[in-house]
């Protein structure tokens, strides 16, 4: 059942127009700046920024949850 659900969810792609994607990317930069200026530990900062970056990649259809980065 989990494999079927994963297949269904991974085949769904969220799409947005370029204007909204641009706004989301601008907000991501602001979010990252706030994180950098915070008192969080370096590892916590990395986790916060990585997850936010992956969300924006998902919106851009460049990321699937549960996938791994391809080695160059």
């Amino acid at each position: 059942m989990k494999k079927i659900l994963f297949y269904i969810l991974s085949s769904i792609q969220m799409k947005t127009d370029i204007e909204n994607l641009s706004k989301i990317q601008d907000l991501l930069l602001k979010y990252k700046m706030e994180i950098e200026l915070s008192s969080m530990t370096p590892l916590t900062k990395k986790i916060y920024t990585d997850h936010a970056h992956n969300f924006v990649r998902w919106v851009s259809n460049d990321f699937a949850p549960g996938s791994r980065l391809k080695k160059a």
Side-chain angles (χ1 to χ4, degrees):
M1 180 68 175
K2 283 186 178 181
K3 285 185 179 182
I4 294 170
L5 183 59
F6 176 76
Y7 176 75
I8 292 169
L9 291 176
S10 65
S11 66
I12 299 171
Q13 294 182 350
M14 181 176 176
K15 298 183 188 287
T16 189
D17 59 51
I18 194 72
E19 184 178 327
N20 285 326
L21 182 57
S22 178
K23 289 178 185 178
I24 291 169
Q25 290 171 334
D26 289 344
L27 289 170
L28 176 64
L29 291 176
K30 291 177 184 179
Y31 179 74
K32 286 181 176 182
M33 289 177 113
E34 284 191 36
I35 289 170
E36 283 305 312
L37 296 173
S38 76
S39 61
M40 290 186 247
T41 65
L43 179 58
T44 302
K45 289 179 181 183
K46 180 175 177 8
I47 291 169
Y48 273 62
T49 56
D50 286 352
H51 287 250
H53 180 74
N54 286 341
F55 173 75
V56 174
R57 288 182 56 214
W58 177 75
V59 171
S60 304
N61 296 323
D62 186 37
F63 178 79
S67 66
R68 295 184 179 259
L69 288 174
K70 295 177 184 175
K71 294 184 180 180

